[in-house]
Amino acid sequence: MPEDSANAAVKAAKENAGAAAAASRPRTPRERARARTVADILRLGREHLALHGAAALSLRAVARDLGVVSSAVYRYVENREELLTLLLIDAYNELGDEVDAAVGAVPEGDFGGRFAALGRAVRGWALREPSRYALLFGSPVPGYRAPAERTTGPGTRVIFALMAILDGAFRAGQLSVEGRWSPAIAAGLGGDLAKIRAEFGLAVPDDLLARGALAWTSLFGAVSFEAFGQYGEETFTAREELFDHHLAVLADVAGLPAAAAR
């Protein structure tokens, strides 16, 4: 059975990331020393992000904790905006790696299980890394604009993985909301969906693709509500169970089958 286009897009993204990593792998002692210094700057940047938030991130403060003058750090990271970009890419890729590993651990034909694994991986990472999740999905950092040419690839890994699940389920005859009422697709929305379908080679029709978009945004909404403490201290003490309930409802909204029993 030929691999579907959404899965091919995910595979290509992984291969491109691996090729880029291999190309940038330090080969000389000087390159290795530089890579270690950049890694230390990123580690300290993550620590400062957790302590002070993205808006207060300071390259000078990172240099101080690194034990060097600020001018020395600028040889490795040009400015605060570059540090934010590196932190974004690092966080997007770590989240993408966790999602890929979780989805890959579920049998290919269990599309409901794969969706649940994706959702739980996003939630688990967000709760472990709230400051980095906030950098990715919280309020924009004042004065900073992420360079799309560097962040779009890493930043779309999770939605690519979700599209692969939905498209795979549809091609396997396991994505359907037959017999349920769905609102008509307006002309403008239909044009947007057609572009998405053409760009990624999807077979999913308009109504199911629009439902998939709802599942995507609702998943991150549920994660954000918990990660940002919006429930309040005494509301929903069984939050993992609540989240699993949300996942089951969203899978049904999208037209996915229930996850297979383990």
Side-chain angles (χ1 to χ4, degrees):
M1 183 177 186
E3 184 177 47
D4 66 78
S5 299
N7 271 320
V10 175
K11 183 178 179 181
K14 291 180 187 177
E15 290 175 348
N16 290 339
S24 63
R25 190 172 295 126
R27 289 178 287 273
T28 67
R30 184 174 182 177
E31 289 174 337
R32 289 194 293 271
R34 180 181 180 84
R36 285 194 297 269
T37 301
V38 172
D40 285 340
I41 291 170
L42 279 175
R43 173 180 55 80
L44 290 169
R46 289 191 293 267
E47 292 176 4
H48 283 234
L49 193 66
L51 289 171
H52 309 296
L57 192 66
S58 165
L59 200 53
R60 288 181 179 273
V62 169
R64 184 175 61 249
D65 285 359
L66 192 61
V68 299
V69 296
S70 57
S71 58
V73 171
Y74 293 133
R75 294 201 296 266
Y76 301 95
V77 178
E78 184 177 353
N79 49 37
R80 172 178 172 271
E81 287 67 32
E82 173 68 8
L83 178 57
L84 281 167
T85 297
L86 292 175
L87 289 169
L88 272 173
I89 294 170
D90 177 61
Y92 275 134
N93 278 327
E94 187 174 298
L95 173 59
D97 287 346
E98 292 208 7
V99 165
D100 288 344
V103 171
V106 180
E108 289 188 6
D110 183 5
F111 298 105
R114 288 193 152 208
F115 175 74
L118 181 149
R120 289 172 187 143
V122 172
R123 175 180 180 266
W125 187 84
L127 296 183
R128 287 197 316 275
E129 302 285 350
S131 60
R132 297 168 75 197
Y133 181 83
L135 176 65
L136 302 185
F137 303 108
S139 300
V141 180
Y144 172 72
R145 186 179 181 86
E149 68 278 7
R150 296 175 64 189
T151 58
T152 297
T156 53
R157 286 181 60 183
V158 175
I159 183 57
F160 270 31
L162 176 57
M163 284 194 299
I165 292 169
L166 297 175
D167 198 63
F170 180 77
R171 291 173 187 267
Q174 295 187 44
L175 188 75
S176 174
V177 289
E178 187 177 352
R180 302 188 217 170
W181 176 84
S182 291
I185 300 294
L189 174 58
D192 291 338
L193 296 173
K195 289 178 183 177
I196 293 170
R197 192 163 41 249
E199 181 177 358
F200 298 107
L202 302 175
V204 183
D206 281 357
D207 58 336
L208 290 174
L209 194 55
R211 284 173 174 266
L214 176 60
W216 168 39
T217 56
S218 299
L219 165 63
F220 277 91
V223 171
S224 294
F225 220 77
E226 185 174 0
F228 299 149
Q230 297 300 309
Y231 283 130
E233 292 183 3
E234 298 181 1
T235 307
F236 295 121
T237 56
R239 292 182 184 175
E240 184 173 359
E241 294 175 11
L242 175 66
F243 186 75
D244 282 348
H245 180 83
H246 286 161
L247 284 178
V249 171
L250 290 175
D252 182 67
V253 167
L256 286 164
R262 295 280 187 276

